[in-house]
Amino acid sequence: MEQYLNFNNRRFFSMVAFFMIVLFSFSVNFTVAQNNDNNNTVVTIDPKLGKLKQINAGVLNVGYAESGPANGPVVILLHGWPYDIHSYEDVAPILAKAGYRVIVPYLRGYGTTRFLSPETPRNGQQAAIASDIVALMDALQISKATIGGFDWGARTADIIAALWPERCKALVAVSGYIITNRVANLQPLSPKAELGWWYQYYFATDRGKAGYSANTRDFNRLIWQIASPKWNFDDTTYSRSATAFDNPDHVAIVIHNYRWRLSLAEGERKYDELEKRLATGLLIKVPTITIGSDFDGAAANGTAYAKKFVGPYKHIVLDGIGHNVPQEAPIAFANAVMEVERLKK
Protein backbone atom coordinates (compact mmCIF):
# COMPACT_ATOMS: atom_id res chain seq x y z
CA MET A 1 0.00 0.00 0.00
CA GLU A 2 2.80 2.46 0.86
CA GLN A 3 4.48 1.79 -2.48
CA TYR A 4 1.13 2.28 -4.21
CA LEU A 5 0.58 5.63 -2.44
CA ASN A 6 4.08 6.81 -3.22
CA PHE A 7 3.60 5.91 -6.88
CA ASN A 8 0.29 7.76 -7.05
CA ASN A 9 1.71 10.75 -5.17
CA ARG A 10 4.56 10.97 -7.67
CA ARG A 11 2.09 10.64 -10.54
CA PHE A 12 -0.19 13.32 -9.03
CA PHE A 13 2.61 15.87 -8.51
CA SER A 14 3.96 15.14 -11.99
CA MET A 15 0.56 15.94 -13.48
CA VAL A 16 0.30 19.13 -11.39
CA ALA A 17 3.74 20.22 -12.57
CA PHE A 18 2.78 19.52 -16.18
CA PHE A 19 -0.40 21.60 -16.01
CA MET A 20 1.42 24.46 -14.24
CA ILE A 21 3.94 24.56 -17.08
CA VAL A 22 1.12 24.58 -19.65
CA LEU A 23 -0.73 27.38 -17.82
CA PHE A 24 2.45 29.42 -17.41
CA SER A 25 3.20 29.04 -21.11
CA PHE A 26 -0.34 30.14 -22.01
CA SER A 27 -0.09 33.12 -19.66
CA VAL A 28 3.22 34.24 -21.15
CA ASN A 29 1.92 33.93 -24.70
CA PHE A 30 -1.28 35.78 -23.81
CA THR A 31 0.64 38.60 -22.14
CA VAL A 32 2.98 38.95 -25.11
CA ALA A 33 -0.02 39.08 -27.45
CA GLN A 34 -1.51 41.87 -25.36
CA ASN A 35 1.73 43.83 -25.23
CA ASN A 36 2.19 43.53 -28.98
CA ASP A 37 -1.30 45.00 -29.42
CA ASN A 38 -0.32 48.48 -28.22
CA ASN A 39 -0.89 47.50 -24.58
CA ASN A 40 -4.54 46.79 -25.35
CA THR A 41 -5.69 44.74 -22.37
CA VAL A 42 -9.01 43.47 -21.10
CA VAL A 43 -9.36 44.48 -17.46
CA THR A 44 -12.83 43.17 -16.61
CA ILE A 45 -16.33 42.65 -17.96
CA ASP A 46 -19.34 44.91 -17.46
CA PRO A 47 -22.66 43.07 -17.84
CA LYS A 48 -24.08 45.78 -20.11
CA LEU A 49 -21.13 47.67 -21.59
CA GLY A 50 -19.05 44.60 -22.42
CA LYS A 51 -15.30 44.28 -22.09
CA LEU A 52 -13.56 47.07 -20.17
CA LYS A 53 -10.16 47.63 -21.74
CA GLN A 54 -7.07 49.88 -21.58
CA ILE A 55 -4.93 51.05 -24.49
CA ASN A 56 -2.18 53.61 -25.02
CA ALA A 57 -3.41 56.33 -27.38
CA GLY A 58 -1.69 59.66 -27.87
CA VAL A 59 -0.83 61.19 -24.49
CA LEU A 60 -3.19 58.86 -22.62
CA ASN A 61 -3.74 55.32 -21.52
CA VAL A 62 -7.45 55.23 -22.34
CA GLY A 63 -10.01 53.16 -20.49
CA TYR A 64 -12.94 52.14 -22.67
CA ALA A 65 -15.76 49.64 -22.99
CA GLU A 66 -16.22 47.52 -26.09
CA SER A 67 -19.15 45.34 -27.13
CA GLY A 68 -20.63 43.87 -30.28
CA PRO A 69 -18.95 42.01 -33.15
CA ALA A 70 -15.34 42.97 -33.86
CA ASN A 71 -16.08 43.29 -37.59
CA GLY A 72 -19.26 45.33 -37.19
CA PRO A 73 -19.64 48.99 -38.22
CA VAL A 74 -18.03 51.09 -35.50
CA VAL A 75 -19.93 53.43 -33.21
CA ILE A 76 -18.04 55.62 -30.72
CA LEU A 77 -20.15 57.04 -27.89
CA LEU A 78 -18.85 59.95 -25.82
CA HIS A 79 -20.02 61.03 -22.36
CA GLY A 80 -20.02 64.50 -20.86
CA TRP A 81 -19.57 66.22 -17.50
CA PRO A 82 -20.36 65.15 -14.87
CA TYR A 83 -21.14 61.72 -16.26
CA ASP A 84 -19.23 58.68 -17.49
CA ILE A 85 -19.44 55.63 -19.76
CA HIS A 86 -22.47 54.29 -17.86
CA SER A 87 -24.59 56.90 -19.62
CA TYR A 88 -24.56 54.35 -22.44
CA GLU A 89 -25.17 51.21 -20.39
CA ASP A 90 -28.57 50.70 -22.03
CA VAL A 91 -27.65 52.08 -25.46
CA ALA A 92 -24.62 49.85 -26.00
CA PRO A 93 -26.49 46.51 -25.71
CA ILE A 94 -29.10 47.66 -28.25
CA LEU A 95 -26.44 48.64 -30.77
CA ALA A 96 -24.29 45.56 -30.11
CA LYS A 97 -27.31 43.31 -30.67
CA ALA A 98 -27.95 45.14 -33.95
CA GLY A 99 -24.42 44.21 -35.11
CA TYR A 100 -22.44 47.32 -34.27
CA ARG A 101 -19.00 47.37 -32.69
CA VAL A 102 -19.56 49.80 -29.83
CA ILE A 103 -16.68 51.75 -28.26
CA VAL A 104 -17.38 53.88 -25.16
CA PRO A 105 -14.25 55.63 -23.80
CA TYR A 106 -13.64 57.51 -20.59
CA LEU A 107 -12.61 61.05 -21.50
CA ARG A 108 -9.40 62.47 -20.05
CA GLY A 109 -9.88 63.05 -16.34
CA TYR A 110 -12.51 60.33 -15.93
CA GLY A 111 -12.54 56.71 -14.84
CA THR A 112 -9.52 54.60 -15.71
CA THR A 113 -8.12 56.94 -18.36
CA ARG A 114 -4.69 58.19 -17.29
CA PHE A 115 -1.99 60.47 -18.66
CA LEU A 116 1.13 58.59 -19.70
CA SER A 117 3.40 61.36 -18.42
CA PRO A 118 3.20 63.56 -15.32
CA GLU A 119 4.63 66.35 -17.48
CA THR A 120 1.62 66.55 -19.81
CA PRO A 121 -0.53 69.60 -19.02
CA ARG A 122 -3.88 68.71 -17.47
CA ASN A 123 -5.64 70.50 -20.26
CA GLY A 124 -9.41 70.39 -20.74
CA GLN A 125 -9.71 72.50 -23.89
CA GLN A 126 -12.00 71.20 -26.61
CA ALA A 127 -9.35 70.51 -29.27
CA ALA A 128 -7.32 68.42 -26.83
CA ILE A 129 -10.28 66.19 -25.97
CA ALA A 130 -11.22 65.75 -29.63
CA SER A 131 -7.60 64.91 -30.49
CA ASP A 132 -7.71 62.22 -27.78
CA ILE A 133 -10.57 60.45 -29.56
CA VAL A 134 -8.83 60.60 -32.94
CA ALA A 135 -5.72 59.14 -31.26
CA LEU A 136 -7.89 56.37 -29.79
CA MET A 137 -9.25 55.59 -33.24
CA ASP A 138 -5.69 55.38 -34.54
CA ALA A 139 -4.65 53.07 -31.71
CA LEU A 140 -7.62 50.79 -32.38
CA GLN A 141 -7.01 50.97 -36.14
CA ILE A 142 -10.47 52.44 -36.73
CA SER A 143 -10.42 54.53 -39.89
CA LYS A 144 -14.00 55.80 -39.67
CA ALA A 145 -16.88 55.61 -37.20
CA THR A 146 -20.31 56.95 -36.42
CA ILE A 147 -19.80 59.21 -33.41
CA GLY A 148 -22.44 60.17 -30.88
CA GLY A 149 -22.39 62.18 -27.70
CA PHE A 150 -23.92 64.66 -25.29
CA ASP A 151 -22.45 67.59 -23.34
CA TRP A 152 -18.62 67.41 -23.67
CA GLY A 153 -19.19 64.31 -25.78
CA ALA A 154 -21.43 66.12 -28.27
CA ARG A 155 -18.93 68.96 -28.54
CA THR A 156 -16.14 66.47 -29.15
CA ALA A 157 -18.19 64.63 -31.77
CA ASP A 158 -19.04 67.94 -33.49
CA ILE A 159 -15.37 68.87 -33.61
CA ILE A 160 -14.28 65.57 -35.12
CA ALA A 161 -17.01 65.86 -37.76
CA ALA A 162 -15.92 69.43 -38.53
CA LEU A 163 -12.12 69.01 -38.49
CA TRP A 164 -11.75 65.39 -39.56
CA PRO A 165 -14.85 64.52 -41.63
CA GLU A 166 -12.95 61.63 -43.21
CA ARG A 167 -12.94 59.95 -39.77
CA CYS A 168 -16.62 60.56 -39.02
CA LYS A 169 -19.13 58.44 -40.95
CA ALA A 170 -22.12 60.07 -39.28
CA LEU A 171 -22.93 62.17 -36.21
CA VAL A 172 -25.50 62.12 -33.41
CA ALA A 173 -25.21 65.23 -31.24
CA VAL A 174 -27.38 66.13 -28.27
CA SER A 175 -27.90 69.92 -28.08
CA GLY A 176 -26.66 70.28 -31.65
CA TYR A 177 -23.73 72.47 -32.64
CA ILE A 178 -21.95 73.34 -29.40
CA ILE A 179 -18.38 73.95 -30.54
CA THR A 180 -16.99 76.64 -28.26
CA ASN A 181 -16.22 80.07 -29.67
CA ARG A 182 -14.30 81.88 -26.94
CA VAL A 183 -14.87 85.33 -28.45
CA ALA A 184 -18.64 84.79 -28.49
CA ASN A 185 -18.45 83.43 -24.95
CA LEU A 186 -17.27 86.83 -23.73
CA GLN A 187 -20.64 88.34 -24.62
CA PRO A 188 -23.16 88.54 -21.76
CA LEU A 189 -26.45 86.69 -21.87
CA SER A 190 -29.79 87.50 -20.26
CA PRO A 191 -29.84 87.26 -16.46
CA LYS A 192 -31.93 84.08 -16.60
CA ALA A 193 -29.53 82.45 -19.05
CA GLU A 194 -26.51 83.53 -17.00
CA LEU A 195 -28.04 81.91 -13.92
CA GLY A 196 -27.91 78.55 -15.68
CA TRP A 197 -24.13 78.78 -15.95
CA TRP A 198 -23.53 79.54 -12.26
CA TYR A 199 -21.11 76.62 -11.86
CA GLN A 200 -18.82 77.97 -14.58
CA TYR A 201 -18.40 81.21 -12.65
CA TYR A 202 -17.89 79.24 -9.43
CA PHE A 203 -15.13 77.24 -11.11
CA ALA A 204 -13.46 80.49 -12.17
CA THR A 205 -12.55 81.18 -8.53
CA ASP A 206 -10.04 79.55 -6.19
CA ARG A 207 -12.93 78.94 -3.81
CA GLY A 208 -14.76 77.08 -6.57
CA LYS A 209 -11.78 74.89 -7.36
CA ALA A 210 -11.34 74.06 -3.67
CA GLY A 211 -15.06 73.45 -3.25
CA TYR A 212 -15.28 71.12 -6.24
CA SER A 213 -12.23 69.21 -5.06
CA ALA A 214 -13.65 68.80 -1.55
CA ASN A 215 -17.22 67.97 -2.58
CA THR A 216 -16.92 66.39 -6.04
CA ARG A 217 -19.53 63.68 -5.63
CA ASP A 218 -22.10 65.88 -3.88
CA PHE A 219 -21.54 68.66 -6.40
CA ASN A 220 -21.99 66.38 -9.40
CA ARG A 221 -25.08 64.77 -7.96
CA LEU A 222 -26.59 68.24 -7.68
CA ILE A 223 -25.78 68.87 -11.35
CA TRP A 224 -27.51 65.60 -12.29
CA GLN A 225 -30.63 66.73 -10.41
CA ILE A 226 -30.65 70.23 -11.90
CA ALA A 227 -29.93 69.10 -15.46
CA SER A 228 -32.49 66.27 -15.40
CA PRO A 229 -35.22 67.21 -12.91
CA LYS A 230 -37.65 64.54 -14.16
CA TRP A 231 -35.13 61.69 -14.09
CA ASN A 232 -35.57 59.71 -10.87
CA PHE A 233 -32.18 58.03 -10.76
CA ASP A 234 -31.35 56.02 -7.64
CA ASP A 235 -28.27 55.91 -5.42
CA THR A 236 -26.89 52.82 -7.16
CA THR A 237 -27.09 54.45 -10.59
CA TYR A 238 -25.32 57.58 -9.41
CA SER A 239 -22.66 55.73 -7.41
CA ARG A 240 -21.79 53.59 -10.42
CA SER A 241 -20.87 56.71 -12.39
CA ALA A 242 -19.45 58.68 -9.45
CA THR A 243 -16.43 56.38 -9.19
CA ALA A 244 -15.24 57.93 -12.46
CA PHE A 245 -14.76 61.25 -10.64
CA ASP A 246 -12.11 59.68 -8.40
CA ASN A 247 -9.67 59.98 -11.30
CA PRO A 248 -6.60 61.87 -9.98
CA ASP A 249 -6.82 64.43 -12.82
CA HIS A 250 -10.58 64.93 -12.77
CA VAL A 251 -10.71 68.21 -10.86
CA ALA A 252 -7.84 69.74 -12.82
CA ILE A 253 -9.40 68.83 -16.18
CA VAL A 254 -12.87 70.09 -15.25
CA ILE A 255 -11.61 73.38 -13.82
CA HIS A 256 -9.36 74.01 -16.81
CA ASN A 257 -12.15 73.17 -19.27
CA TYR A 258 -14.51 75.80 -17.91
CA ARG A 259 -11.83 78.42 -17.30
CA TRP A 260 -10.54 77.93 -20.84
CA ARG A 261 -14.02 78.48 -22.26
CA LEU A 262 -14.24 81.84 -20.47
CA SER A 263 -10.72 82.84 -21.63
CA LEU A 264 -9.50 82.68 -18.03
CA ALA A 265 -6.93 79.98 -18.83
CA GLU A 266 -4.90 79.25 -21.92
CA GLY A 267 -4.63 75.99 -23.80
CA GLU A 268 -1.59 74.33 -25.30
CA ARG A 269 0.13 75.93 -28.28
CA LYS A 270 0.02 72.70 -30.25
CA TYR A 271 -3.76 73.04 -30.51
CA ASP A 272 -3.76 76.70 -31.61
CA GLU A 273 -4.25 75.96 -35.29
CA LEU A 274 -7.16 73.63 -34.62
CA GLU A 275 -8.81 76.22 -32.38
CA LYS A 276 -8.38 78.90 -35.04
CA ARG A 277 -10.18 76.72 -37.56
CA LEU A 278 -12.97 75.94 -35.10
CA ALA A 279 -13.40 79.64 -34.34
CA THR A 280 -14.39 80.24 -37.99
CA GLY A 281 -17.62 78.33 -37.41
CA LEU A 282 -16.87 75.32 -39.59
CA LEU A 283 -19.89 73.69 -41.19
CA ILE A 284 -20.57 69.99 -40.67
CA LYS A 285 -21.17 68.00 -43.84
CA VAL A 286 -21.52 64.42 -42.58
CA PRO A 287 -24.99 62.88 -42.06
CA THR A 288 -26.26 64.20 -38.73
CA ILE A 289 -29.10 63.81 -36.29
CA THR A 290 -29.27 66.42 -33.54
CA ILE A 291 -31.38 65.94 -30.42
CA GLY A 292 -33.03 68.61 -28.33
CA SER A 293 -34.44 67.99 -24.84
CA ASP A 294 -35.98 69.90 -21.95
CA PHE A 295 -32.45 70.84 -20.87
CA ASP A 296 -32.05 72.97 -24.01
CA GLY A 297 -35.03 75.19 -23.18
CA ALA A 298 -35.98 77.48 -26.05
CA ALA A 299 -33.17 76.04 -28.19
CA ALA A 300 -34.70 72.53 -28.11
CA ASN A 301 -36.28 72.98 -31.56
CA GLY A 302 -32.82 73.19 -33.12
CA THR A 303 -33.47 76.22 -35.32
CA ALA A 304 -30.59 78.15 -33.77
CA TYR A 305 -27.99 75.78 -35.21
CA ALA A 306 -29.69 73.88 -38.05
CA LYS A 307 -27.78 75.83 -40.72
CA LYS A 308 -24.48 74.53 -39.34
CA PHE A 309 -25.32 71.07 -40.69
CA VAL A 310 -25.18 71.13 -44.48
CA GLY A 311 -25.23 67.38 -45.17
CA PRO A 312 -28.14 64.97 -44.69
CA TYR A 313 -29.80 66.21 -41.52
CA LYS A 314 -32.62 65.55 -39.09
CA HIS A 315 -33.55 67.06 -35.74
CA ILE A 316 -35.40 65.25 -32.93
CA VAL A 317 -37.03 66.78 -29.84
CA LEU A 318 -37.47 64.59 -26.75
CA ASP A 319 -40.01 66.11 -24.40
CA GLY A 320 -39.68 65.30 -20.70
CA ILE A 321 -36.04 64.27 -21.06
CA GLY A 322 -33.17 66.10 -19.36
CA HIS A 323 -29.52 66.46 -20.24
CA ASN A 324 -28.32 62.86 -19.95
CA VAL A 325 -30.27 61.80 -23.04
CA PRO A 326 -28.69 58.37 -23.68
CA GLN A 327 -29.34 57.21 -20.12
CA GLU A 328 -32.78 58.79 -19.82
CA ALA A 329 -33.99 57.81 -23.30
CA PRO A 330 -31.71 54.96 -24.45
CA ILE A 331 -34.04 53.56 -27.09
CA ALA A 332 -34.48 56.95 -28.76
CA PHE A 333 -30.73 57.57 -28.72
CA ALA A 334 -29.91 54.11 -30.08
CA ASN A 335 -32.50 54.52 -32.82
CA ALA A 336 -30.91 57.83 -33.83
CA VAL A 337 -27.52 56.12 -34.15
CA MET A 338 -28.99 53.37 -36.32
CA GLU A 339 -30.97 55.84 -38.45
CA VAL A 340 -28.35 58.51 -39.08
CA GLU A 341 -26.31 56.57 -41.64
CA ARG A 342 -29.43 56.12 -43.76
CA LEU A 343 -30.27 59.83 -43.96
CA LYS A 344 -30.63 61.29 -47.43
CA LYS A 345 -30.08 64.90 -48.44
Side-chain angles (χ1 to χ4, degrees):
M1 179 65 73
E2 182 178 351
Q3 289 178 341
Y4 177 78
L5 289 175
N6 287 339
F7 171 79
N8 279 279
N9 285 343
R10 289 196 298 271
R11 185 178 181 184
F12 172 76
F13 287 114
S14 295
M15 291 176 66
V16 170
F18 172 77
F19 282 114
M20 288 181 67
I21 291 171
V22 171
L23 289 172
F24 176 77
S25 176
F26 176 79
S27 176
V28 169
N29 290 335
F30 183 63
T31 300
V32 169
Q34 289 177 319
N35 289 339
N36 287 339
D37 191 22
N38 198 19
N39 295 311
N40 193 4
T41 59
V42 179
V43 179
T44 186
I45 305 293
D46 183 281
K48 290 187 175 182
L49 290 168
K51 296 177 181 178
L52 302 182
K53 301 181 176 182
Q54 297 290 141
I55 191 170
N56 289 347
V59 300
L60 301 172
N61 178 261
V62 178
Y64 68 100
E66 180 171 354
S67 60
N71 61 349
V74 182
V75 175
I76 298 175
L77 303 176
L78 305 173
H79 68 82
W81 172 85
Y83 305 94
D84 83 323
I85 63 175
H86 290 92
S87 291
Y88 296 100
E89 65 181 5
D90 292 319
V91 173
I94 297 172
L95 296 177
K97 186 176 181 179
Y100 290 89
R101 179 187 178 191
V102 186
I103 307 293
V104 191
Y106 284 110
L107 301 185
R108 58 168 59 190
Y110 295 80
T112 60
T113 292
R114 297 289 188 274
F115 286 90
L116 294 173
S117 170
E119 304 303 320
T120 303
R122 274 36 181 178
N123 175 3
Q125 77 180 106
Q126 61 182 1
I129 297 172
S131 296
D132 291 342
I133 303 306
V134 174
L136 175 63
M137 293 175 70
D138 290 342
L140 295 175
Q141 299 181 347
I142 296 170
S143 60
K144 201 167 190 176
T146 295
I147 305 176
F150 72 105
D151 196 79
W152 290 20
R155 178 173 295 105
T156 302
D158 284 344
I159 291 170
I160 295 172
L163 289 177
W164 298 284
E166 71 281 2
R167 308 301 297 272
C168 185
K169 186 176 182 180
L171 170 68
V172 175
V174 174
S175 302
Y177 191 95
I178 54 174
I179 296 174
T180 297
N181 182 315
R182 294 210 297 171
V183 173
N185 269 9
L186 294 176
Q187 302 304 311
L189 302 174
S190 68
K192 185 176 180 180
E194 295 283 20
L195 178 63
W197 304 119
W198 64 272
Y199 57 88
Q200 297 194 29
Y201 308 132
Y202 182 65
F203 289 161
T205 68
D206 289 340
R207 178 188 174 114
K209 181 178 180 180
Y212 188 61
S213 180
N215 305 294
T216 309
R217 291 199 178 199
D218 288 343
F219 193 100
N220 289 345
R221 187 178 185 118
L222 175 63
I223 295 296
W224 278 37
Q225 293 166 339
I226 293 173
S228 301
K230 297 179 182 179
W231 180 33
N232 295 316
F233 61 89
D234 57 23
D235 291 342
T236 300
T237 298
Y238 179 70
S239 296
R240 190 160 52 243
S241 288
T243 58
F245 314 142
D246 296 335
N247 183 294
D249 299 305
H250 178 76
V251 172
I253 293 297
V254 170
I255 296 300
H256 184 266
N257 177 283
Y258 288 106
R259 289 184 179 183
W260 178 86
R261 290 197 215 177
L262 294 176
S263 297
L264 299 175
E266 292 305 313
E268 292 176 77
R269 295 291 300 275
K270 67 179 181 179
Y271 299 116
D272 283 356
E273 187 57 36
L274 296 179
E275 295 293 356
K276 287 179 183 178
R277 292 176 61 193
L278 292 172
T280 65
L282 293 174
L283 300 178
I284 292 177
K285 301 176 182 179
V286 306
T288 299
I289 291 179
T290 54
I291 300 175
S293 69
D294 289 0
F295 175 83
D296 299 302
N301 61 17
T303 57
Y305 49 73
K307 292 181 180 179
K308 289 293 187 180
F309 301 96
V310 295
Y313 178 68
K314 179 179 179 178
H315 182 71
I316 299 171
V317 178
L318 299 178
D319 293 324
I321 300 300
H323 194 35
N324 188 357
V325 169
Q327 200 161 6
E328 296 178 64
I331 295 175
F333 192 94
N335 285 341
V337 171
M338 292 186 284
E339 181 185 358
V340 69
E341 296 178 18
R342 303 191 298 269
L343 287 184
K344 303 297 182 183
K345 182 70 174 174

